[in-house]
Amino acid sequence: VTFTYERASEREDGTTLPLEEIKLTRLFCDGKWIAQEAGADGDISAMLTSGTHDCFATHVDTNNLESKPSNSVTRIVEP
């Protein structure tokens, strides 16, 4: 499953998060960290089992500070 996103512009503490400082993007579904990839190119893919999944993404910067979570989305994966 591929998720498309707009990159975060703030860290969790509210400070500005420039694109060049984003080290990686993480994807969480159903409360678990399930995927990550370098940078913030606008999409991230993950293998999901059949069923309904609530997911959100975060970015991690070069100082290992995390952004606020994105809006949560629900994905339904057919068997």
Side-chain angles (χ1 to χ4, degrees), residues 21-26 33 36-40 58-61:
E21 291 183 18
I22 296 175
K23 182 169 66 174
L24 56 91
T25 299
R26 290 181 175 160
W33 176 15
Q36 79 176 27
E37 60 183 36
T58 64
H59 297 305
V60 177
D61 73 6

Side-chain angles (χ1 to χ4, degrees), residues 2-79:
T2 299
F3 293 84
T4 301
Y5 61 86
E6 290 185 30
R7 73 168 186 85
S9 59
E10 292 184 349
R11 294 176 177 87
E12 193 168 38
D13 66 3
T15 58
T16 302
L17 177 57
L19 176 60
E20 61 273 7
E21 291 183 18
I22 296 175
K23 182 169 66 174
L24 56 91
T25 299
R26 290 181 175 160
L27 179 65
F28 297 82
C29 291
D30 306 321
K32 297 177 186 168
W33 176 15
I34 64 163
Q36 79 176 27
E37 60 183 36
D41 65 2
D43 61 43
I44 187 169
S45 298
M47 297 294 295
L48 294 175
T49 58
S50 298
T52 302
H53 305 277
D54 293 316
C55 304
F56 66 88
T58 64
H59 297 305
V60 177
D61 73 6
T62 54
N63 294 314
N64 292 320
L65 299 173
E66 203 156 9
S67 69
K68 294 179 182 180
S70 67
N71 292 336
S72 185
V73 296
T74 300
R75 293 301 285 265
I76 299 171
V77 179
E78 299 291 329

